[in-house]
Each structure stands twice: as structure tokens, then as C-alpha cells.
Amino acid sequence: MCGIIGYYGKDGKAIDVILNGLKRMEYRGYDSAGVAFSDENILVVKNVGRIKDLESKLNGIERIFDIGIGHTRWATHGKVSEENAHPHTNMDETIAVVHNGIIENHAELRKQLKEKGYNFKTETDTEVIPHLIDFHYKKNNDGDFKKAFTDALKELIGAYAIVAIHKDENRIYCAKFGSSPLRLGVSKSKDEIIVASDRLALIGICEEEQILENGEIVVISKDYEKGYNIEDFEGFEIEDILRKVPKDIEAITKGEYEDFMLKEIREQPNTIRTAVGGRIEHLETLAIDNFPDLPREISRLILLACGTSWHAGKVAEYLFDEKTGIVCQAEIASEFRYKRPVLFPNDFVIAISQSGETADTLAALKLAKEKGCYIGGIVNSVGSSIAQTAAKGVYLHAGPEIGVASTKAFTSQVAVLTILKAFLTNDDNYIKKLKDGFSELPSKIEEVFKIEEQIKDIAERISGFERFLFLGRGINYPVALEGALKFKEITYRLAEGYPAGEMKHGPIALIDRETPSIFILSGKNEYYEKTMSNIQEVKSRDGRVIIVTDDKEALRKNGCLTKTDFIIEVPRIIEELSPIINVIPLQLLAYYSAKFLGWDVDKPRNLAKSVTVE
Ligand code: AGP
């Protein structure tokens, strides 16, 4: 997934506004970046690496531009190189284009364009766009760039958000089709317009925004009274429905924190409060506001998600059991969408997503919608594609999650899912238990932060090892999966999450002094003793263990631990909320391990915050 931006403003601000916008969207992809500005000619500056490196390249350039576009890339087609970085231009460099998405028929278009005499400089799918616009511009030969732009779009197959400029046009041309998001932002005085992949790029300049829909084209120009015009591919004007852009700059800055990830870990007491809000007190509002007209007899809840969000769904599987009479299935969206799933109209299908833009999750949700299921969303990003497709559901209101490794979104997703169980089962005992649990949850999360130094110390002691097992049973199995994902995606060490009971069926072969096993062991339930046995199986093979537990004494009495083992004691809470407590030491363990290894925890290599491509 990439971040794209276009700016049409004043006072020669284009370079600074675009660089700042790219910095705010850098979490969307950061292997290379580039900008283009329109004045007498098109000036293009690109760079492999981060925005700050691109900024250095631009320092010597006079701030005279009012129109410009920019792009920060997560490579899909073509290796990471300066040539393959966006913007891409036509051969005589009169047109520059930035693009987020995939042009599925790029090979065929490239072949056709080459036969028409076009030469390509890059390996990207995107480069067909400026050449195609150029072809239509010259073929039409009437100087109508908008028509050339639209004619070119009609030949593209795939998902795209495109922003284009032409050297002779004091305009910016934008279009959205498929799962690539694009928002239009307008300043209060309407003399500064920004179009960008993410609302974060609008904050601070734009007072109002509009989320563009599929098949919409925006032309930004001072010729229009409001500064822009929105139309469809046939030229019919589309009404704008602008809404306020939050002014919350603090939410998108690190404040006193070194990294967004640490800030977002520490925000969790508050984000849990926000996720829960009054929902548990007023479950009836869920039926009215969030899931209206829900069929009465729900026998199956299908949760569609990827990565961390799928782990939250796996936690929910353990919330629903024979007592609730509802089958809960957490489905990996990229598998679900292709396995021709058996679906029934009274299936309740919910997409779980922080970004609300994950292509596989969006596609899986659309499949369920086509099959006539009742669909919903549990999403953090307001107005995102998944939220719009679901058209109903629950927002996390966790605030922007900038760190690529998801933390606060996961715990808010779990909290909302425990409330969903209360809503679907209407079990008074469970509701009371949950209310009591939520009342103490934020303070218990704060208690975990009191042992942060211990976790940091453990992180430094284990950071030399190359491979790790994360193990748990029952509701702690998805926590083990999540702990392993956090660890691997920011330390780049091999970390495998596994059901503790499955260890003896193979993974135990990995156990040695160089392979620490991280166990999650909480709650006095039928899994507790079995997990203790698994810990002993590791110890009897001279393995090292780190145990996240809510009962340190019980562990000590067991007597199987040695001085190379570590116990991270966390507060006890009801089982349904224990994943929220138990995951936090694992988030911190991953964070401090990666910091000790010197990695960029907010922008891990090869990753992007939201994968809007398949
Ligand atoms: C989590 O740390 C990862 N960044 C990744 O697995 C992420 O959870 C996944 O891509 C799903 O993203 P979403 O929640 O925005 O849909």
C-alpha cells in the first residue's frame, strides 16, 4: 500500500505541504518516495529511502510552486529503486502521475503502448498511466486534458487512486476506483485543496473533507468557485458532502514518545475506555445504532480479518461456546475469499480491521454481502472502505494507529468483541461480570506499565537469540499468536505462535538453550494445569522459558524454573478480558527487543500499515 498526495494552494507552499503530508502517510509504505511540481515544466525528484532523505534533496529548490503531487511507496510491481519510485511521467515529461493500487491489465497496456512507440523506463504497473493519458491527449488533439485523463482511466482494470498533473494545466486531476482510498480536503478559505490517501495528510490545513467513492473523478482548479469539481467517468457532476476534519494534531504526533508504537501501547488504558464507552451499559443501542434489523436467530458469527485483527477474531472464538449456542469462526480473509465458503442468510459476518482498507478483508466482506449474509464491521478508521461497505457496525475510536505493528487496535477489538457477545447472548451474569471487569481494566493495564523496566531488561537478555516459540492454550492461544506476530514483524527474528498443547506434535523438536519459549499462563481454568505440564516439557529439555502469568506464586511452587527463566506477573482479571492484559507485556517485549536491536519499530522493513493490495 502507498501514500499519495496532491496539493493546489498558494504562496509557493506546495513543496512543504506535500513533504509534510508524505511524512504523515509514511507508515503506509516507505521504501521510496518522490514528488513532482508543475511550473513551466514538470519537476520530478525521487529517492530510495525515507521522506527525510527526499527532503534533503529538495532543500536547494526555491519554494515557488503552488501545485504538486507526491508519493511514498510500498513496492508491489518492480523492485525498490529510484526509477521505480513515483511519480511516473510520459516520455516528453509533460505529465506526472502518482498511484496507489494495482493496474491488473498493465502488461497488455504496456505491450499496446510499446507497439505505438512508447518507451518504458520502469518495471512498474503505474508507468502505463502517464503514457496512456499522453496517447489519448495526442489522439484527441483538442487540448482537452480531462477527456484524455478520463479516456485513459476507462482502459485501466484494477484498483487505483490516481493523482495527475500536466505542465500546461493549472489543475490537478484525481480518480478513485476499487479499494484504494482517496480523500479530498478543503481549507477554510477554500484556497488550499489537498487530495490524499489518508486523512492524516489533511489535518492542520483542511477544515473539511470528502471521502471519494468508486468511479469518481476530481478536478482541482481555481476555475471552480469552490476550488474543485467532482464528477463520474461520464462527466456527470457529483454532489459534495463535506464533513469536518479533526484538528487533533496531537493524535498524529509522537508527543514525548520516541516512537508511535510506544505511545500507542501506553494509550491503551484510555483507548479501552473509549472502545467500551457506554456500550456495555446500553447494549440496546447496539441493536438500534450499530446492527439494526439483525436477524433474531443468529447461529453463526463469522469474523473476517487479517494479521492482528484476525488474532482478535480468534479470541472471540473462545468467547462463544456451547453455553451461548453460537458458533464463532475467525476466518483469515485471504483464504476465505477463495475457498467458496458455505454461507447462509442468517450468518452474521463481521469484518475486523484497524485501517478499514485491507484488500483481502474488504473482498471477503463483499463476498458475504453478495451471499446475502447480514454484514457489519469492527473498524478503527472512520469512513474507510470496509466501514462504508459494511454500512453498519462498531468503530473502535482508538484514534489514528500510526505504528505499523498494531497494538491499541487489537485490545480495543477484543474489548468490542466481548461486548458483542453480551449483545448477542443477553446473559445477565456475563454482562455483570463484564461490567465489573471493564471497571478495573484500565487501572490493571496501568499496573502492567509498572513492570516495564523488567520487561525491557528481559528483552535485552533475549535479543541475541534468533528464534522463539510463543505458546498458550484456550483464549491465550490467540494471544500467543499475537505476541509472535508483534515480535517477528519488528525484530525480524523467527517467532512462532502455537497452541501449547500442540508443542509435543512437532515444535518441541525446536527446544534448546538457544530457543526461548514464551508462555502465557493465566486464569484458574482447565487449561492451567495442562500449560504447566507443557512448561515442564520445555524445562526437561533444558529450554529457557519466559512466562506471562497472573499467579507467580503458583509457578514458583511448581519448582521447575531456573535462574535463566523469567516470570512476568500481570494483574488477574476475568478470563474474557485476560487477552487485553496478557498481550501488553508481549507488545513491550517486542518493542524493547527491536529497539535494542536498533530497528525502526514504527516502520519495520518490507511492511506497510495497511495492505490495500492482494
Ligand atoms: C499487525 O501488527 C500487522 N501490521 C498486520 O498484521 C495487520 O494487523 C493486518 O495487515 C490487518 O490490518 P487491518 O487491521 O488494518 O485490516
Side-chain angles (χ1 to χ4, degrees):
M1 175 201 74
C2 310
I4 67 173
I5 184 170
Y7 171 78
Y8 191 165
K10 57 184 182 179
D11 308 336
K13 288 169 64 178
I15 289 182
D16 295 329
V17 170
I18 285 173
L19 284 171
N20 190 44
L22 288 177
K23 283 175 186 170
R24 290 190 187 164
M25 294 192 290
E26 201 170 16
Y27 72 91
R28 299 173 60 87
Y30 35 83
D31 54 45
S32 53
V35 292
F37 302 99
S38 160
D39 189 40
E40 289 309 307
N41 284 302
I42 297 281
L43 168 67
V44 179
V45 179
K46 305 185 190 184
N47 192 68
V48 172
R50 298 294 166 80
I51 306 300
K52 64 182 186 323
D53 307 317
L54 179 67
E55 192 164 25
S56 309
K57 275 194 170 181
L58 286 161
N59 279 341
I61 294 174
E62 201 181 350
R63 273 31 186 182
I64 54 169
F65 304 108
D66 292 334
I67 294 178
I69 61 178
H71 185 277
T72 183
R73 185 175 185 234
W74 182 68
T76 54
H77 288 72
K79 63 182 181 301
V80 176
S81 69
E82 188 163 314
E83 268 303 337
N84 286 338
H86 300 213
H88 293 295
T89 60
N90 58 332
M91 289 164 64
D92 42 5
E93 299 194 347
T94 55
I95 299 167
V97 172
V98 291
H99 161 232
N100 177 27
I102 286 185
I103 306 301
E104 291 173 7
N105 61 332
H106 70 93
E108 177 54 31
L109 290 171
R110 180 183 282 253
K111 180 171 171 293
Q112 291 169 13
L113 287 161
K114 278 184 172 176
E115 287 163 0
K116 293 179 175 108
Y118 285 87
N119 300 319
F120 284 74
K121 292 179 289 193
T122 81
E123 308 156 322
T124 66
D125 56 329
T126 303
E127 194 188 350
V128 299
I129 302 172
H131 294 316
L132 204 52
I133 298 171
D134 179 272
F135 168 73
H136 284 288
Y137 192 57
K138 287 169 180 162
K139 186 187 76 170
N140 300 342
N141 192 28
D142 55 8
D144 183 342
F145 186 80
K146 180 161 76 85
K147 185 176 184 312
F149 180 71
T150 310
D151 289 348
L153 294 178
K154 289 175 180 174
E155 292 197 47
L156 302 181
I157 298 171
Y160 52 80
I162 293 173
V163 181
I165 53 177
H166 184 282
K167 83 172 186 64
D168 298 334
E169 300 258 336
N170 271 330
R171 294 179 162 202
I172 296 180
Y173 295 83
C174 326
K176 176 210 161 51
F177 196 83
S179 60
S180 304
L182 202 59
R183 290 173 188 245
L184 177 75
V186 184
S187 67
K188 190 179 182 64
S189 51
K190 300 206 186 305
D191 55 2
E192 291 183 280
I193 311 269
I194 297 178
V195 64
S197 308
D198 194 306
R199 163 189 283 179
L200 300 182
L202 310 182
I203 292 177
I205 287 187
C206 301
E207 297 262 318
E208 297 179 298
E209 68 169 353
Q210 173 142 344
I211 297 162
L212 298 183
E213 304 278 352
N214 272 358
E216 291 186 346
I217 289 173
V218 179
V219 180
I220 303 172
S221 161
K222 307 284 186 196
D223 301 344
Y224 299 112
E225 185 193 346
K226 57 192 177 183
Y228 62 89
N229 191 53
I230 305 176
E231 55 192 68
D232 64 17
F233 281 25
E234 301 315 318
F236 292 106
E237 191 157 339
I238 292 170
E239 183 194 1
D240 52 357
I241 310 159
L242 295 173
R243 60 178 173 192
K244 284 288 174 211
V245 173
K247 292 187 171 61
D248 189 0
I249 290 279
E250 196 279 329
I252 60 170
T253 54
K254 287 184 265 192
E256 80 272 13
Y257 292 100
E258 189 176 342
D259 303 289
F260 278 109
M261 185 177 176
L262 185 57
K263 177 186 175 202
E264 288 151 10
I265 290 171
R266 296 275 189 71
E267 284 176 339
Q268 290 178 107
N270 287 329
T271 50
I272 285 293
R273 287 188 186 96
T274 314
V276 174
R279 287 170 174 156
I280 190 62
E281 304 297 339
H282 304 288
L283 286 171
E284 70 284 356
T285 61
L286 288 173
I288 301 160
D289 300 340
N290 306 88
F291 301 112
D293 308 320
L294 183 67
R296 291 195 60 75
E297 292 309 312
I298 295 291
S299 56
R300 190 163 68 153
L301 172 64
I302 297 174
L303 303 171
L304 306 174
C306 301
T308 287
S309 297
W310 177 66
H311 296 155
K314 286 299 280 185
V315 167
E317 283 188 355
Y318 291 88
L319 299 177
F320 293 87
D321 54 20
E322 77 275 356
K323 196 165 160 251
T324 58
I326 294 176
V327 173
C328 177
Q329 291 167 220
E331 294 279 355
I332 291 176
S334 57
E335 289 295 310
F336 179 85
R337 61 183 292 199
Y338 295 116
K339 72 178 191 180
R340 295 182 298 286
V342 177
L343 292 170
F344 302 105
N346 71 333
D347 281 338
F348 185 7
V349 182
I350 293 182
I352 306 173
S353 177
Q354 188 288 127
S355 64
E357 300 298 347
T358 302
D360 284 322
T361 307
L362 178 61
L365 184 67
K366 286 178 176 174
L367 172 62
K369 185 176 181 179
E370 285 159 18
K371 299 283 186 181
C373 303
Y374 184 100
I375 63 169
I378 294 176
V379 178
N380 192 34
S381 179
V382 175
S384 55
S385 302
I386 289 171
Q388 290 193 42
T389 301
K392 50 195 171 308
V394 175
Y395 280 125
L396 302 179
H397 298 305
E401 187 178 68
I402 312 280
V404 166
S406 187
T407 50
K408 63 180 181 176
F410 173 75
T411 49
S412 292
Q413 287 163 351
V414 171
V416 165
L417 287 162
T418 63
I419 295 170
L420 182 69
K421 174 187 173 182
F423 168 60
L424 291 176
T425 59
N426 209 20
D427 172 339
D428 291 339
N429 293 330
Y430 171 71
I431 292 168
K432 176 161 183 346
K433 188 171 75 164
L434 201 55
K435 283 181 181 175
D436 295 344
F438 280 136
S439 65
E440 60 183 8
L441 182 56
S443 58
K444 291 202 168 180
I445 294 174
E446 295 286 2
E447 279 182 51
V448 179
F449 296 146
K450 290 174 185 165
I451 57 168
E452 197 165 323
E453 277 311 305
Q454 179 206 6
I455 296 168
K456 184 176 178 182
D457 176 56
I458 294 170
E460 291 184 15
R461 291 164 183 263
I462 65 170
S463 55
F465 296 117
E466 297 278 339
R467 57 187 198 185
F468 299 81
L469 279 176
F470 285 72
L471 301 154
R473 283 178 180 252
I475 206 165
N476 283 321
Y477 162 43
V479 179
L481 293 174
E482 176 55 14
L485 177 61
K486 285 293 83 67
F487 202 85
K488 74 181 80 168
E489 70 177 329
I490 63 175
T491 67
Y492 314 146
R493 301 295 205 210
L494 184 62
E496 185 156 16
Y498 231 85
E502 270 295 286
M503 223 183 55
K504 53 189 174 294
H505 300 288
I508 200 162
L510 291 171
I511 298 303
D512 59 23
R513 293 300 294 167
E514 304 308 306
T515 308
S517 297
I518 293 95
F519 280 91
I520 303 98
L521 174 61
S522 70
K524 284 283 177 270
N525 53 34
E526 64 273 15
Y527 296 110
Y528 191 90
E529 291 310 323
K530 301 294 182 196
T531 309
M532 290 289 271
S533 306
N534 300 137
I535 291 170
Q536 277 158 339
E537 286 159 12
V538 171
K539 291 308 298 169
S540 62
R541 289 162 178 80
D542 200 23
R544 301 168 187 267
V545 295
I546 298 164
I547 303 167
V548 175
T549 184
D550 59 3
D551 190 343
K552 190 173 188 175
E553 279 324 301
L555 217 48
R556 289 234 176 277
K557 284 187 195 123
N558 182 281
C560 69
L561 303 184
T562 61
K563 65 180 185 318
T564 58
D565 302 319
F566 301 104
I567 299 176
I568 300 173
E569 186 167 37
V570 295
R572 173 164 296 175
I573 198 158
I574 61 169
E575 184 182 21
E576 291 84 350
L577 299 180
S578 61
I580 294 171
I581 293 287
N582 296 343
V583 79
I584 291 173
L586 305 180
Q587 294 170 346
L588 291 167
L589 189 67
Y591 172 78
Y592 284 112
S593 297
K595 291 297 283 184
F596 189 73
L597 291 167
W599 302 123
D600 181 341
V601 292
D602 282 341
K603 301 186 189 74
R605 70 184 182 192
N606 305 341
L607 283 174
K609 180 59 183 173
S610 166
V611 185
T612 59
V613 293
E614 296 183 5

